[in-house]
Amino acid sequence: MCKGAVIAKFSYPITLVTLVLSVLGAYFSSKLTLQSDLAQLLPENFESVQALNRMKEEMGGVSNLRVVVECSDYAALVRFANDFAEAAEADTFVNYVDFTNEVGFYKRNGLLFLTVDELESLRQSIEDKVAAEKQKLNPLFVDDLFGEDDEESTDDFADLEEKYRGREPTTYHTNADSTVLVIKLFPKTSGTSLSYGQNMVRSIRNLVDSMVPGKYSPDLNVYLGGSIKNRIDEYNVIIDDILGTAYYGLGGVLFLIIIYFRKLAGAFLITVSLVASLTWTFGLTYLVIGNLNTITGFLFVILFGLGIDYGIHAFARYVESRRNGLDLIESVNNLVEHTGRALTTTAVTTSAAFFSLTIMDFRGFSDLGFISGVGILFALVGMVVVLPALIVIFDRMNWLTVKARAEKSSTSVPRSFPYSSGVLVLSGLLTVAAAYGATKVVFEYDFTNLRAITEERKQVSRKTDGVFDLSESPAVVLASSKAEISEVVDAVQGVMASDTVTPTIKTVRTVYSLVPEDQKERLVKIGEIRQLVHEEADGVLSGPDEEKLNRFRQYLEVSQPFTWDDFPVKDKRQFVNKRGEIGNFVFIYPSVALRDGKNAIDFRDDVGQIVTGNGKTYHASSSNIILADMLTIMIGEGRWAVGLTFLVVFTIVFLDFRNIKATVLILSPLMLGVLWTVATMYLFDLKWNLFNIVVIPSIIGIGVDNGVHIYHRYTEEGPGSLMHVLRHTGLAILMTTLTTIVGYSGLVAAHHPGLNSIGKLALVGISLTFVTAVVFLPAALRFLEKRTERSASVPA
């Protein structure tokens, strides 16, 4: 019994099993969630990820929602801020509000934050300045007698006031001209979920609206920002892009296959078979992985476009067989036996190429590899088992009819592929140029160019620039004791002292830098400075120097050390763990903008792994260190991914044909297409990034199908059949390419820059691998035919 007869005999049981599995798959698929946090793309066994998890467990969440208030009237700005803060404290989602600084504390104790050495330097500078002024008062003093002046001393003295006043915060979190005030709202839950954040943002927007900002001042405007709002914006943009891609992709693909087959029944059967395979795919994804990420979130549409390819080839072969006069069983057998073999080769090759990515640490590769690999195999089952079964049922019910041709020609007139030599020469020239261009493509390191930046986020970023002195994303090290904290600080300060070429660390803070232990020694130095000012400086300095000294006197009034209890509550919160105890935290603040990936990597290299003097190793972590690790591993694994997928494809194609020449012929258009794709990036100034780097392995897995189908049909039809092959299989390949392009093209309109870059690169790659398959491969085959013909014409 042939395979077609087996399918026909068990068509109803096959359909029933398909229905049951599809219902189960749909149920589990509905439980999938989207993880938009890029940090989720690293595996849990990474030191930076483990350190970040320990930090969250010990410290809780550090996310906040920023309310940015802008107004030219400072008094109105402050009135609104005070009223809003009072109302926000009572909000269901808000734990506490931070919008003011205890300036009085810092004025009283400002000098106690300087080390003994810094205080000694201050005392010496004042002493030098007083001595210089006294010398000027000497009637025998001749200014610039030796061609020198006291500019350096004056500069030192001027710098002093700037140094100490710079440590004194403003009353509110305001910008330089006091037209923008920032209010930070911290949530009640430490691990803020997306839904909690969405509810919090909704509640705060309602609160802002209820206060009618315009009544405080006509030009008072309120914006929302911060990590909680940014995460929601990123998620919403990704979801909108995925849904937009789905609507466009599914609709476009269905339209194409209806136009191609001119049969609604055919389009329906292919779609039903494919949707069934997709429910199995994403149901299994939920059971194995549990969620989707930013890179795999759009795979439903992509797999729909890829799976449709198998359906088009399978159904086209069935239709062709029926039109040639074969009966139902023979036509189904033709589909399963002949086209099914080619589909199996391409599906196994493509899925194996994707499965090879699962060994990668970068989950953008590994998750994509698993879902795509499973999806391709399930699509194969759908098209060589489920689709034939449905065809049998529909045919027997007369819901699917294909008329045989009135006249069937038993032979086709052989036609050679024209211009084969010219095509090969032109391809060679383009490949040489492409090899140069491909080496010039660079990587996008600026994270801001890869994020979904809404208009409100842009405004918040621009308006809050300069409001906060230190980065709000420091790297954090968890120590176990005071002694360990001291060792870590010493190690970090050692890095700061030695790294003078590319410094990345601005400062390091601990609870002990917050409340210095040697305050008594510092008070002694402050007393010496106070005595120097009272006994030596009075009546000596004049003009601007006297004014500066008078402003400086307020800092000299401190006479008692302060304690932890004296410190402002809001400023010591970051040093308190979830249990309300003083934590052993070391905060390392960057001196460079970490939105630049190169800076993030340099900062990670400086502080990611800290080895103390006693040889113990500590791991710092933050969201930016996670991103730096991701960049490093992704760039390294990207090259391996391309090489590995190609190696897998080469091996499977060779095992199928058992001929090295055939394997090289099949893969040559794929290699050219990939090379030309990368060169096109150079021509259009496209860059590699965190997202589109997964495209090239995908193109290798997808593009190999074209060569396999053409070569399979060519060996079936024989020499001289190239134009016949292109007219039939080539047309089917055109349709499969168009459906894949439509699946990806929705991403070109995506607002998320990363998804947008995937769409652009995929469109270029899929188009070029199609062109090389239907132009270069036939030209190469025709070239070999000519060689065979010439050899045959030579007399023995």
Side-chain angles (χ1 to χ4, degrees):
M1 184 181 293
C2 68
K3 293 179 181 178
V6 173
I7 293 288
K9 181 178 180 180
F10 295 102
S11 57
Y12 283 101
I14 289 172
T15 303
L16 180 61
V17 171
T18 298
L19 179 62
V20 172
L21 292 178
S22 298
V23 170
L24 287 173
Y27 170 74
F28 288 114
S29 297
S30 66
K31 293 179 172 291
L32 281 171
T33 58
L34 177 70
Q35 293 286 348
S36 59
D37 186 0
L38 289 177
Q40 299 292 327
L41 297 180
L42 278 182
E44 291 292 327
N45 61 353
F46 264 55
E47 291 288 356
S48 57
V49 175
Q50 293 179 355
L52 185 65
N53 290 336
R54 289 193 298 269
M55 181 185 76
K56 289 180 178 180
E57 181 66 26
E58 181 71 11
M59 300 176 62
V62 293
S63 301
N64 65 80
L65 178 65
R66 290 186 181 184
V67 179
V68 181
V69 191
E70 182 182 34
C71 184
S72 59
D73 184 346
Y74 180 72
L77 196 68
V78 171
R79 284 200 310 275
F80 177 86
N82 285 318
D83 292 346
F84 175 83
E86 183 179 354
E89 288 279 10
D91 188 87
T92 306
F93 300 96
V94 178
N95 186 24
Y96 64 91
V97 179
D98 175 12
F99 74 113
T100 62
N101 294 302
E102 294 190 32
V103 178
F105 172 83
Y106 292 99
K107 280 189 175 181
R108 291 191 304 272
N109 301 288
L111 290 182
L112 286 174
F113 290 101
L114 301 182
T115 66
V116 173
D117 290 339
E118 288 176 323
L119 289 169
E120 173 58 27
S121 176
L122 168 60
R123 189 200 65 77
Q124 188 63 50
S125 296
I126 295 176
E127 186 176 70
D128 292 344
K129 181 64 179 177
V130 170
E133 292 301 318
K134 285 182 176 181
Q135 189 175 16
K136 290 180 181 179
L137 295 175
N138 188 332
L140 299 179
F141 174 73
V142 178
D143 189 22
D144 200 22
L145 181 62
F146 299 104
E148 299 176 352
D149 55 33
D150 64 341
E151 181 180 352
E152 182 179 350
S153 176
T154 302
D155 288 343
D156 287 344
F157 189 74
D159 289 344
L160 296 177
E161 183 185 34
E162 182 69 23
K163 186 173 186 178
Y164 308 125
R165 295 191 70 183
R167 297 186 181 225
E168 179 184 314
T170 57
T171 303
Y172 298 93
H173 299 323
T174 55
N175 63 350
D177 61 3
S178 297
T179 57
V180 173
L181 190 152
V182 179
I183 305 169
K184 293 195 287 188
L185 308 178
F186 291 84
K188 286 185 177 178
T189 60
S190 58
T192 307
S193 66
L194 182 68
S195 60
Y196 188 97
Q198 290 170 329
N199 291 330
M200 182 178 182
V201 169
R202 191 177 301 114
S203 178
I204 295 304
R205 281 204 188 278
N206 292 337
L207 176 58
V208 171
D209 293 340
S210 69
M211 293 183 63
V212 190
K215 76 179 183 181
Y216 289 85
S217 177
D219 69 337
L220 192 144
N221 294 301
V222 181
Y223 311 90
L224 298 187
S227 54
I228 292 177
K229 176 65 164 47
N230 293 343
R231 181 187 176 195
I232 294 171
D233 287 344
E234 190 92 5
Y235 177 84
N236 288 339
V237 169
I238 292 173
I239 290 295
D240 289 344
D241 285 342
I242 289 174
L243 291 177
T245 300
Y247 296 143
Y248 177 84
L250 296 179
V253 168
L254 288 174
F255 176 77
L256 284 174
I257 59 176
I258 290 173
I259 294 298
Y260 180 64
F261 290 113
R262 298 180 184 178
K263 293 181 181 297
L264 284 174
F268 175 77
L269 293 180
I270 294 173
T271 302
V272 168
S273 303
L274 181 56
V275 168
S277 72
L278 289 174
T279 61
W280 309 339
T281 299
F282 288 97
L284 185 61
T285 297
Y286 171 75
L287 294 175
V288 175
I289 298 177
N291 56 62
L292 300 174
N293 58 52
T294 306
I295 293 175
T296 60
F298 65 92
L299 277 181
F300 179 87
V301 181
I302 305 305
L303 287 175
F304 189 88
L306 292 176
I308 282 288
D309 296 357
Y310 301 135
I312 289 174
H313 283 293
F315 195 73
R317 192 59 179 267
Y318 168 77
V319 170
E320 183 183 349
S321 299
R322 293 291 273 172
R323 285 176 177 171
N324 288 337
L326 300 181
D327 63 19
L328 173 63
I329 301 301
E330 290 175 321
S331 299
V332 170
N333 188 66
N334 231 8
L335 184 163
V336 177
E337 286 279 3
H338 298 290
T339 303
R341 182 192 170 195
L343 290 179
T344 300
T345 299
T346 58
V348 171
T349 303
T350 303
S351 62
F354 279 118
F355 277 132
S356 69
L357 299 178
T358 59
I359 66 173
M360 302 295 176
D361 287 321
F362 178 52
R363 289 187 60 187
F365 285 135
S366 59
D367 288 3
L368 175 77
F370 176 81
I371 298 172
S372 299
V374 168
I376 294 297
L377 291 181
F378 281 156
L380 173 68
V381 174
M383 295 312 166
V384 299
V385 177
V386 178
L387 177 61
L390 292 176
I391 287 175
V392 170
I393 293 172
F394 268 54
D395 186 278
R396 288 173 173 171
M397 292 184 172
N398 294 320
W399 292 346
L400 177 65
T401 57
V402 181
K403 293 181 179 180
R405 293 188 181 94
E407 294 182 7
K408 178 185 173 186
S409 175
S410 58
T411 59
S412 60
V413 179
R415 287 181 57 196
S416 61
F417 185 81
Y419 312 115
S420 58
S421 298
V423 169
L424 293 178
V425 171
L426 180 60
S427 298
L429 294 175
L430 289 176
T431 301
V432 171
Y436 169 80
T439 63
K440 300 297 181 181
V441 182
V442 297
F443 196 87
E444 176 61 82
Y445 283 96
D446 191 341
F447 295 144
T448 58
N449 292 332
L450 299 175
R451 296 189 182 280
I453 309 296
T454 63
E455 187 58 36
E456 186 174 34
R457 185 171 178 178
K458 289 180 184 176
Q459 290 181 319
V460 167
S461 177
R462 184 171 61 252
K463 295 178 187 301
T464 59
D465 185 35
V467 173
F468 299 100
D469 179 45
L470 290 175
S471 166
E472 294 199 325
S473 299
V476 183
V477 179
L478 297 184
S480 301
S481 64
K482 176 182 174 182
E484 288 191 1
I485 288 178
S486 178
E487 291 168 359
V488 171
V489 170
D490 288 343
V492 174
Q493 289 177 340
V495 173
M496 294 172 66
S498 61
D499 188 4
T500 57
V501 178
T502 57
T504 64
I505 306 171
K506 183 172 185 177
T507 188
V508 54
R509 287 186 174 181
T510 70
V511 66
Y512 302 106
S513 61
L514 204 66
V515 184
E517 293 185 310
D518 60 345
Q519 290 185 68
K520 291 184 178 180
E521 290 82 354
R522 300 183 189 199
L523 283 169
V524 171
K525 282 295 178 185
I526 293 171
E528 293 175 4
I529 296 170
R530 184 167 53 243
Q531 182 179 2
L532 174 63
V533 169
H534 290 330
E535 296 180 358
E536 302 291 337
D538 285 342
V540 175
L541 302 182
S542 60
D545 286 341
E546 184 178 17
E547 293 176 5
K548 293 175 184 176
L549 185 63
N550 289 334
R551 288 196 298 267
F552 180 64
R553 291 178 190 272
Q554 63 181 316
Y555 297 100
L556 296 171
E557 300 304 316
V558 59
S559 59
Q560 296 291 330
F562 63 86
T563 66
W564 173 259
D565 293 333
D566 298 326
F567 211 85
V569 174
K570 81 172 195 66
D571 291 331
K572 60 185 180 183
R573 276 196 177 107
Q574 73 175 135
F575 296 96
V576 177
N577 61 25
K578 290 168 63 175
R579 300 180 296 278
E581 305 165 345
I582 299 176
N584 295 306
F585 310 137
V586 179
F587 294 90
I588 308 170
Y589 291 86
S591 62
V592 293
L594 298 186
R595 65 176 178 273
D596 184 328
K598 292 180 180 178
N599 288 341
I601 291 173
D602 289 341
F603 183 64
R604 186 278 314 272
D605 290 343
D606 283 344
V607 306
Q609 181 172 296
I610 300 169
V611 180
T612 60
N614 62 7
K616 189 171 182 178
T617 300
Y618 297 83
H619 295 278
S621 191
S622 69
S623 59
N624 287 304
I625 287 181
I626 294 289
L627 286 174
D629 276 349
M630 190 187 311
L631 274 175
T632 303
I633 190 172
M634 183 197 60
I635 293 172
E637 288 192 341
R639 300 185 183 95
W640 280 103
V642 172
L644 185 60
T645 51
F646 186 80
L647 178 62
V648 169
V649 164
F650 182 92
T651 302
I652 295 178
V653 172
F654 176 75
L655 291 175
D656 182 42
F657 291 92
R658 306 296 175 91
N659 186 302
I660 191 67
K661 184 172 76 172
T663 303
V664 172
L665 275 171
I666 291 169
L667 297 183
S668 58
L670 175 62
M671 291 186 289
L672 292 185
V674 170
L675 182 62
W676 294 2
T677 298
V678 180
T680 303
M681 294 178 67
Y682 171 67
L683 288 178
F684 291 96
D685 197 28
L686 300 177
K687 299 179 180 180
W688 296 116
N689 61 50
L690 280 167
F691 297 87
N692 67 17
I693 201 166
V694 303
V695 171
I696 296 300
S698 301
I699 290 174
I700 293 174
I702 296 168
V704 68
D705 293 4
N706 299 334
V708 169
H709 282 298
I710 288 177
Y711 195 81
H712 258 295
R713 190 63 183 264
Y714 174 72
T715 55
E716 185 180 329
E717 301 290 342
S721 63
L722 282 169
M723 296 307 295
H724 176 76
V725 170
L726 290 178
R727 191 163 55 247
H728 293 278
T729 303
L731 186 58
I733 290 175
L734 173 61
M735 284 304 301
T736 60
T737 299
L738 288 176
T739 57
T740 306
I741 284 176
V742 169
Y744 272 105
S745 60
L747 293 176
V748 175
H751 294 90
H752 191 285
L755 297 182
N756 181 276
S757 69
I758 290 176
K760 289 179 179 177
L761 187 57
L763 258 60
V764 172
I766 293 167
S767 301
L768 288 177
T769 51
F770 166 75
V771 170
T772 54
V774 298
V775 176
F776 175 81
L777 180 56
L781 291 171
R782 177 55 188 157
F783 176 78
L784 293 177
E785 282 183 353
K786 289 179 180 179
R787 287 184 56 185
T788 302
E789 291 168 3
R790 284 195 297 268
S791 298
S793 64
V794 176

